[in-house]
């Protein structure tokens, strides 16, 4: 996990690299699209397998179905979150614990 200041520096380097090398930007965007598509396909497969597990698996199948549904939902949440820009604070300060 990067500190906010380091994340800003990293984002700046990536932005400059995207500006100077459009081929790099295309390759990175293509990789991101493939990854998001893979998450979607995996989630759909998990949701398809869940009812089959419940029918044929007994209580173990019910547990597997719950896990499959949960992981599929998490993949979709992750897929949707990948589109949104991260919200980082511009203050550059680290959060502190207060007693």
């Amino acid at each position: 996990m990067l500190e906010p200041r380091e994340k800003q520096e990293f984002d700046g380097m990536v932005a400059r690299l995207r500006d100077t090398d459009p081929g790099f930007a295309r390759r990175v965007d293509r990789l991101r699209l493939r990854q998001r598509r893979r998450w979607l396909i995996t989630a759909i497969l998990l949701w398809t397998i869940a009812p089959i597990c419940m029918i044929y698996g007994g209580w173990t199948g019910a547990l597997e179905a719950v896990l499959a549904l949960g992981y599929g939902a998490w993949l979709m949440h992750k897929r949707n979150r990948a589109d949104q820009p991260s919200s980082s604070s511009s203050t550059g300060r680290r959060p502190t614990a207060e007693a």
Side-chain angles (χ1 to χ4, degrees):
M1 186 87 165
L2 294 175
E3 293 182 12
R5 181 184 51 79
E6 292 171 338
K7 184 171 178 1
Q8 285 178 337
E9 290 175 13
F10 178 74
D11 290 341
M13 289 188 304
V14 170
R16 284 190 301 273
L17 187 56
R18 282 183 174 274
D19 291 341
T20 59
D21 190 359
F24 168 76
R26 279 192 305 273
R27 286 190 303 272
V28 168
D29 291 340
R30 204 171 343 154
L31 286 173
R32 185 177 299 154
L33 179 63
R34 285 182 190 162
Q35 186 177 36
R36 292 183 68 243
R37 189 177 304 141
R38 190 177 326 123
W39 290 338
L40 175 64
I41 292 169
T42 304
I44 290 171
L45 286 174
L46 286 168
W47 291 335
T48 304
I49 289 172
I52 296 169
C53 288
M54 289 182 72
I55 292 170
Y56 294 111
W59 69 270
T60 307
L63 177 63
E64 290 175 0
V66 168
L67 293 174
L69 291 172
Y71 189 62
W74 180 77
L75 284 173
M76 289 304 295
H77 174 73
K78 184 176 176 179
R79 180 180 184 266
N80 293 334
R81 197 177 59 207
D83 278 343
Q84 300 170 355
S86 63
S87 60
S88 61
S89 66
S90 59
T91 59
R93 295 186 315 178
R94 296 180 68 183
T96 59
E98 295 181 12

